[in-house]
Amino acid sequence: MLGAQWGDEGKGKIVDLLADRMDYVVRFAGGNNAGHTVVCGDDEFKLHIIPSGILYPHITSVIGNGVVVNPRVLLEEMDGLRARGISTDKLRISCNAHLVMPYHLAFDRLGEVSLGSAKLGTTHRGIGPAYADKADRLGLRVQDLLDEKIFRTKVGTALERKNAILSKAFGQEVFDVDAIVEEHMEYAARLADHIEDTSLLVWRALEEGGRVLLEGAQGTLLDLDHGTYPFVTSSSPTIGGAFTGTGVGPGRVKAIIGVAKAYVTRVGYGPFPTEQENEVGEAMGARGVEFGTTTGRKRRCGWLDVVLLRYAARVNGLTGLALTKLDVLSTLPVLKVCVGYSYQGRIYHDFPPHQTIFHKCEPEYLEFPGWSEDITGAKTREELPPAAARYVEFIEKAAGVPVEIISVGPKRSQTVWDGRDLEPPPASEGPYLYREEFEPPCTA
Ligand code: GDP
Ligand code: IMO
Ligand code: MG
């Protein structure tokens, strides 16, 4: 399960829904730049680094090797959950996941300052610098916490470079090896029992017939390779990241669910062709409460873009879509959907090959009649107003992927579980296997 847009698609809710039928939920990418919201009865949980399956006692929640872990934030999140009566005893953390170190946070901030008006609008959680050190082979891994001597040596090596840059290039205070080691050995003592080879753990679970859900963070358009570079995050939130970020092989996959909002939002800077900096965008933001789960920033809002959705379907090989926040569009008299980009007399129906086109294009829209009814109580497609049902039908046709779940509110119960039989797509059993195997959860 992964994000099909620019993040915040409602992945937390969908993972929580599907987790009911799972044994394992494994986060595969990103770090605490993510903010996944799960609403459970009257309780709301905002998870940044712990998988969204943690609310179910039967689930083993796994932080995969592709995640970057800030151990201080992780422990705070574990403490916060325990204080609300949620056990974290079964949380497992990959020994190979990289650590977000205090100096990564400093470099994230400094990087943004030095970019000036070209800044990305990162979450300032140290994510880019942590993945950069991983690629540079200067990173520290979770397993390094288990050996103070190794940890000290590696921190020392990293700080030789980091401190030189901090002091000489930026005139900033330097970091102290002893202080970092002391702080992290306290974290190590608390995390040690949770650390293991999670690739092996998940493989064993699969061999025994266990059900595993791989939970994406961020979204396809924030992908380092496939997103709107450089306005992206530094990991692979797309399907490849699900495999490298967990150590699970692709042959094991039964379904690939993309989560997409019924409109589009984006936090941070970068191109966004269908953005509505007007009363429509304001209405979407207000009704959808579009404020960042992690940073509290106001999210930019705009019309649904099926060029991007088709792109997400292609690069991820999606077998199904979970369409969220359809309720937010209620009362808008007319809905627009972008079906192409116009640039210098040419229409692009696929994601354009050059960033300038994407930056400067004019969206080509189709218009759909809206609906005024409250749809938050709908349980089947038949219970949706005909205009809403037609809108969904158009989306699945345009994206070329069946919509299998429609979310009409933040609660578990506010969900339409595919109210009609779709014809199986040729040569693919994926989504249908998935549909047969899962019943809607009965928890409200
Ligand atoms: P994530 O990062 O993809 O997990 O998404 P976020 O949690 O950052 O943002 C999604 C927000 O929308 C959260 O506040 C959810 O509670 C909320 N939400 C999810 N699905 C729906 C829905 O169908 N309708 C409405 N109104 N809100 C939803
Ligand atoms: P979830 O998992 C939305 C965005 C940031 C910024 C860019 C780079 O909740 O969907 P980073 O701190 O990662 O270096 O910032 O990526 N971004 C997200 N936007 N949802 C997220 O996560 C995001 N994680 C990162 O706003 O534009
Ligand atoms: Mg989020």
Side-chain angles (χ1 to χ4, degrees):
M1 195 246 38
L2 40 80
Q5 296 162 329
W6 273 292
D8 300 329
E9 298 92 346
K11 297 177 293 294
K13 167 174 169 169
I14 303 301
V15 169
D16 174 69
L17 280 177
L18 299 176
D20 194 27
R21 298 291 184 274
M22 294 288 152
D23 302 304
Y24 285 71
V25 176
V26 190
R27 254 284 293 273
F28 63 78
N32 63 305
N33 50 347
H36 296 176
T37 312
V38 177
V39 178
C40 181
D42 292 329
D43 290 320
E44 186 179 69
F45 296 86
K46 292 190 182 294
L47 299 160
H48 298 286
I49 191 147
I50 295 179
S52 305
I54 193 79
L55 304 184
Y56 294 97
H58 73 276
I59 294 270
T60 302
S61 293
V62 178
I63 295 178
N65 58 277
V67 175
V68 286
V69 178
N70 180 325
R72 181 184 57 77
V73 174
L74 172 59
L75 283 163
E76 276 170 18
E77 195 161 303
M78 290 167 72
D79 289 343
L81 285 170
R82 275 199 294 266
R84 295 175 72 180
I86 310 290
S87 170
T88 56
D89 292 352
K90 289 171 84 172
L91 177 69
R92 316 309 304 156
I93 307 163
S94 168
C95 51
N96 291 339
H98 278 245
L99 293 173
V100 178
M101 300 296 288
Y103 44 86
H104 292 140
L105 299 170
F107 276 97
D108 197 352
R109 269 192 303 277
L110 290 168
E112 285 284 85
V113 171
S114 65
L115 282 172
S117 62
K119 69 181 172 187
L120 310 179
T122 75
T123 58
H124 288 189
R125 299 300 191 265
I127 304 302
Y131 279 113
D133 276 358
K134 175 178 177 178
D136 204 13
R137 292 144 304 174
L138 195 62
L140 278 97
R141 294 187 293 176
V142 165
Q143 60 178 283
D144 296 328
L145 289 169
L146 302 176
D147 185 322
E148 182 173 340
K149 202 166 152 223
I150 290 177
F151 189 81
R152 179 179 292 279
T153 306
K154 291 192 174 183
V155 171
T157 305
L159 283 186
E160 267 175 40
R161 269 198 240 173
K162 304 293 171 191
N163 281 343
I165 300 170
L166 281 171
S167 59
K168 291 184 185 137
F170 292 105
Q172 298 281 312
E173 278 196 25
V174 296
F175 286 88
D176 175 51
V177 177
D178 288 336
I180 290 184
V181 172
E182 193 185 328
E183 178 188 346
H184 283 75
M185 286 307 111
E186 281 174 30
Y187 302 148
R190 294 190 56 200
L191 292 174
D193 289 346
H194 295 273
I195 299 170
E196 71 176 273
D197 178 347
T198 53
S199 166
L200 183 61
L201 176 76
V202 173
W203 180 80
R204 283 195 177 130
L206 287 166
E207 288 292 296
E208 287 163 11
R211 290 160 176 232
V212 176
L213 176 64
L214 306 185
E215 173 181 1
Q218 288 78 49
T220 300
L221 296 160
L222 289 171
D223 185 275
L224 191 53
D225 286 271
H226 301 292
T228 46
Y229 190 89
F231 299 98
V232 293
T233 190
S234 299
S235 65
S236 300
T238 48
I239 189 66
F243 304 127
T244 52
T246 57
V248 172
R252 297 286 191 169
V253 169
K254 295 260 197 302
I256 306 171
I257 307 299
V259 186
K261 274 179 190 165
Y263 50 102
V264 177
T265 65
R266 171 161 211 179
V267 213
Y269 301 105
F272 179 179
T274 63
E275 182 171 16
Q276 297 298 301
E277 291 179 284
N278 53 31
E279 65 285 358
V280 170
E282 288 297 322
M284 288 170 174
R287 285 182 58 88
V289 199
E290 295 296 357
F291 292 91
T293 311
T294 299
T295 57
R297 286 178 291 174
K298 195 171 171 180
R299 294 174 181 151
R300 301 156 65 193
C301 298
W303 295 118
L304 185 69
D305 185 332
V306 294
V307 180
L308 295 183
L309 213 47
R310 224 178 28 251
Y311 176 68
R314 171 161 64 84
V315 300
N316 292 301
L318 296 183
T319 61
L321 278 171
L323 189 70
T324 62
K325 303 192 94 159
L326 188 63
D327 54 300
V328 172
L329 298 181
S330 296
T331 74
L332 286 175
V334 174
L335 306 179
K336 293 188 187 183
V337 176
C338 171
V339 293
Y341 307 127
S342 168
Y343 179 71
Q344 293 188 337
R346 191 176 151 187
I347 309 274
Y348 293 82
H349 291 289
D350 290 300
F351 192 61
H354 198 284
Q355 58 187 353
T356 306
I357 306 168
F358 194 65
H359 275 260
K360 298 195 171 166
C361 67
E362 278 299 318
E364 292 282 308
Y365 288 114
L366 286 184
E367 293 193 359
F368 293 82
W371 58 90
S372 53
E373 295 91 331
D374 175 1
I375 61 168
T376 55
K379 295 275 178 282
T380 64
R381 285 210 192 193
E382 287 69 32
E383 287 170 43
L384 291 174
R390 267 202 305 280
Y391 184 71
V392 175
E393 232 168 89
F394 174 77
I395 292 168
E396 57 193 358
K397 279 205 187 107
V401 180
V403 171
E404 305 199 318
I405 297 170
I406 306 168
S407 176
V408 291
K411 294 184 178 168
R412 285 175 179 169
S413 59
Q414 291 171 317
T415 308
V416 173
W417 290 80
D418 183 49
R420 60 179 195 166
D421 285 317
L422 294 161
E423 286 296 306
S428 164
E429 291 205 315
Y432 301 94
L433 188 60
Y434 156 77
R435 186 174 298 110
E436 273 163 27
E437 283 187 298
F438 295 96
E439 291 295 318
C442 40
T443 28

